[in-house]
Amino acid sequence: MNPAYPFSAVVGLADLKLALVLNAVSSRVGGVLVRGEKGTAKSTIVRALAAQLPQVAVVAGCRFHCDPGAPDPGCPDGPHEPDAAGALRAASLVELPVGASEDRLVGSLDLERALTEGVKAFEPGLLAAAHRGVLYVDEVNLLHDHLVDLLLDAAALGVCYVERETVSIRHAARFLLVGTMNPEEGELRPQLLDRFGLTVEVRATREPDERAEVVRRRFAFDADPEGFAARWAAEEAALAARIARARAVLGSVRLPDSRLRQITAVCAGFEVDGLRADLVTAHAAVAHAAWQGRDVVTREDVRVAARLALPHRRRRDPFDAPGLDERLLDELLDQTEPPEDPENPEDPDGSGGPGSGPGRPGEPGGSGGSDGSGGSEAGDGAPGDAAGASEGSASGSGDRPHDVAAAGVPFRVPVLKVAGVGAGVAGRRSSGRGRHGRTIGARVPAGAGPAGIDLPATLLAAAPHQLRRGRRGPGLVLKRDDLREPVREGREGNLVLFVVDASGSMGARRRMTAVKTAVLSLLLDAYQRRDKVGLVVFRGAGAMVALPPTSSVEAGAARLRTLPTGGRTPLAEGLATAADVLRVERLRDPDRRPLLVVVTDGRATSGGDVTRAAAALAGVTSVVVDCESGPVRLGMAQALAVRLGARLLPLESLGDLVRDRRKAG
């Protein structure tokens, strides 16, 4: 088996290396979320760190990897004797696939033994396998929310609780949790972001020499993995030894009360929600002090910890990108800096004692930023904010073709659903059948195997045949034809495709601000309901796909904010482009049902036949948001809604519908 790419050989990414190391030193830090564009060595560096973690002693034969020196008293394979035989093994690296089920994650009843032997046995899941090792989730933003909740609960508590069928189990589950994600594919909800201890933003370096060195090293590794690893063996051994030393002294590192007050003042100054940020920052500061060989936490430890623990907790709007204003951080640290720490008089300015200097550039321990991974002020505002831009003139066909209207504050919108029951991915919009939701029946599995077992239905199917099959003993005699899987009905996510009229008539009547605010509100609703979104814009001579279907609702918000206004109204081209997008997306993701939202006043001043274009969208659940305003209305949007078989919603009613429902309730 080829060795992992050496951790020390990864070029740059100092903040990411440091965040991983701090979690390796202290499991209380709470894991790392790595955000970055594709191809930035996120997966490579996580696997590289796992290879450098110290070996762990485990009780022989224990499926939950208990420590012989301090076995878990509640271990399902226990109780273990104090002098139980142990063995050394490498720290485990467990990868959680995006398509994993809840049973695979937390474990479940061993149905095979239960049905054939008549015994109640527990089959451990991936959380048990990751105990005292690394649990790695690639593309964590694509993992279903309820699995992320289970995962982060176990990481925070250090214990996995399993309540499944007739099984009630708890076991230790302490691991280094690392999640990676590409923000272009959609964000984690702020509630889930907060559950990760640290976060790091990584981008590929733009320096040609550094990029050349990355390629050079990768070529060398691919040509001779063993030889390449051997060249870095000394640095890797030093790294592993330093992690082990930091772990050993972690318990003796002091956090002076003055530094604790500094941590809480910084968290309060950044207006983070809750107290998890304070706890994580304190644990990370202590781990950093141990990593640097100090026995007391200093200002530099607090600063490094805050830079890694606070950026993702600064989001106020789901469309905001994580970020940290480092100038504000330094101001808060200066304001709360004690004149002299009486518990450490030799270090009055918090600069640290021997061994407090940063590591070499690109190594863990350096406090400076790296390839774009440090915090910045860029995250303080929403991307692509067009505040202050003009709304467009009222000169009709003579509109400036590049007027950009600013969007207002989003509001709640009524729930728009696709009719019927689908079979798409789990979400929160329309009715759907899948792996999640309430059980409404059972069926014979289709394909290679069942998606879970409906135990009562399986028993009922097998029971009438036991005498004929010659049953002897407590277990059932089962045939494959007896298996039944549950039919669950819950909610699915949809593809919400926005078709937005950005012609001059919209800007001339100063309605584009209201239109953008409404669409932004609908995008926020799509974000909360875990939909994919797309954006088609028509104006001037034709239509364009401003945003292909994606899970990144944030990208849709950014494109919307910078959307220009002007020109004629090619409505038919907009509808035809939407039909093309849906046709292609149906081939890529046939189970995800579309919801078409057309935002227009219904005018068509150029282009093809609207009736023919609308016919191409027959059968698609549609909503027409009527943007026509004024005392005299032509009703063109209503006519379009009739052609599409769509629901008609006046633009100004989107917020009113929610208010009316609240009053009625």
Side-chain angles (χ1 to χ4, degrees), residues 519-606:
V519 177
L520 192 64
S521 303
L522 290 164
L523 277 170
L524 178 59
D525 181 69
Y527 170 88
Q528 293 168 338
R529 299 183 187 283
R530 311 303 285 172
D531 295 315
K532 290 179 73 173
V533 297
L535 179 62
V536 172
V537 177
F538 59 94
R539 56 183 288 268
M544 62 173 291
V545 181
L547 181 72
T550 176
S551 296
S552 179
V553 180
E554 297 79 5
R559 300 287 174 86
L560 180 70
R561 286 189 174 100
T562 58
L563 182 64
T565 306
R568 300 179 70 82
T569 312
L571 176 57
E573 279 69 14
L575 298 177
T577 302
D580 290 340
V581 170
L582 294 181
R583 177 174 49 78
V584 173
E585 192 64 19
R586 194 175 292 117
L587 296 174
R588 293 176 177 170
D589 193 354
D591 291 332
R592 189 183 290 268
R593 298 187 295 162
L595 173 63
L596 183 69
V597 180
V598 184
V599 185
T600 181
D601 58 10
R603 286 179 170 82
T605 60
S606 68

Side-chain angles (χ1 to χ4, degrees), residues 8-251:
S8 304
V10 177
V11 176
L13 305 182
D15 277 359
L16 175 53
K17 290 182 178 181
L18 180 58
L20 291 170
V21 163
L22 294 183
N23 275 272
V25 171
S26 173
S27 61
R28 294 183 179 273
V29 172
V32 186
L33 176 65
V34 188
R35 297 164 42 89
E37 57 196 16
K38 53 187 176 293
T40 49
K42 299 187 297 292
S43 303
T44 298
I45 197 169
V46 173
R47 295 186 177 98
L49 176 69
Q52 301 311 311
L53 295 180
Q55 288 188 318
V56 295
V58 298
V59 174
C62 178
R63 296 174 299 165
F64 301 87
H65 314 303
C66 282
D67 184 352
D72 178 14
C75 177
D77 283 356
H80 301 297
E81 298 297 329
D83 56 349
L88 284 176
R89 67 161 176 79
S92 58
L93 171 63
V94 175
E95 298 190 34
L96 174 63
V98 169
S101 65
E102 185 175 338
D103 288 346
R104 186 74 184 100
L105 178 64
V106 301
S108 65
L109 177 70
D110 189 333
L111 289 173
E112 182 178 355
R113 294 190 62 192
L115 295 176
T116 59
E117 301 176 24
V119 299
K120 183 169 70 175
F122 178 67
E123 185 176 3
L126 294 177
L127 292 180
H131 180 45
R132 305 175 68 200
V134 178
L135 182 61
Y136 174 51
V137 188
D138 195 13
E139 306 294 354
V140 66
N141 51 323
L142 303 183
L143 195 66
H144 193 269
D145 285 350
H146 90 284
L147 292 182
V148 179
D149 284 328
L150 290 172
L151 180 66
L152 295 175
D153 279 342
L157 299 174
V159 178
C160 175
Y161 293 92
V162 186
E163 300 290 342
R164 306 300 303 271
E165 288 94 21
T166 60
V167 174
S168 181
I169 293 288
R170 62 156 295 279
H171 64 81
R174 294 185 298 275
F175 46 81
L176 194 171
L177 173 63
V178 184
T180 61
M181 60 173 283
N182 183 351
E184 294 177 358
E185 297 172 341
E187 286 281 4
L188 278 171
R189 290 183 292 132
Q191 303 95 305
L192 299 179
L193 273 176
D194 181 60
R195 302 294 296 275
F196 279 93
L198 310 180
T199 187
V200 177
E201 188 90 21
V202 296
R203 299 183 183 89
T205 176
R206 300 298 186 256
E207 292 294 328
D209 290 342
E210 289 189 11
R211 296 174 75 96
E213 182 61 21
V214 170
V215 175
R216 193 177 298 117
R217 291 185 184 183
R218 187 70 211 191
F219 271 31
F221 176 78
D222 291 340
D224 182 10
E226 289 81 5
F228 186 82
R231 290 197 294 275
W232 291 90
E235 293 195 36
E236 295 288 88
L239 172 66
R242 188 176 175 187
I243 292 174
R245 287 196 303 271
R247 282 183 171 183
V249 303
L250 182 67

Side-chain angles (χ1 to χ4, degrees), residues 478-497:
L478 289 178
K479 301 290 185 180
R480 183 177 180 84
D481 293 343
D482 299 328
L483 295 179
R484 298 293 185 271
E485 65 181 9
V487 177
R488 296 188 175 98
E489 185 169 308
R491 295 290 176 185
E492 66 172 2
N494 298 113
L495 166 61
V496 183
L497 181 62

Side-chain angles (χ1 to χ4, degrees), residues 411-414 650-663:
F411 51 83
R412 286 188 59 189
V413 295
L651 177 64
E652 63 272 14
S653 74
L654 288 177
D656 293 338
L657 286 174
V658 175
R659 286 191 289 271
D660 291 343
R661 289 179 183 176
R662 287 177 179 171
K663 291 177 182 177

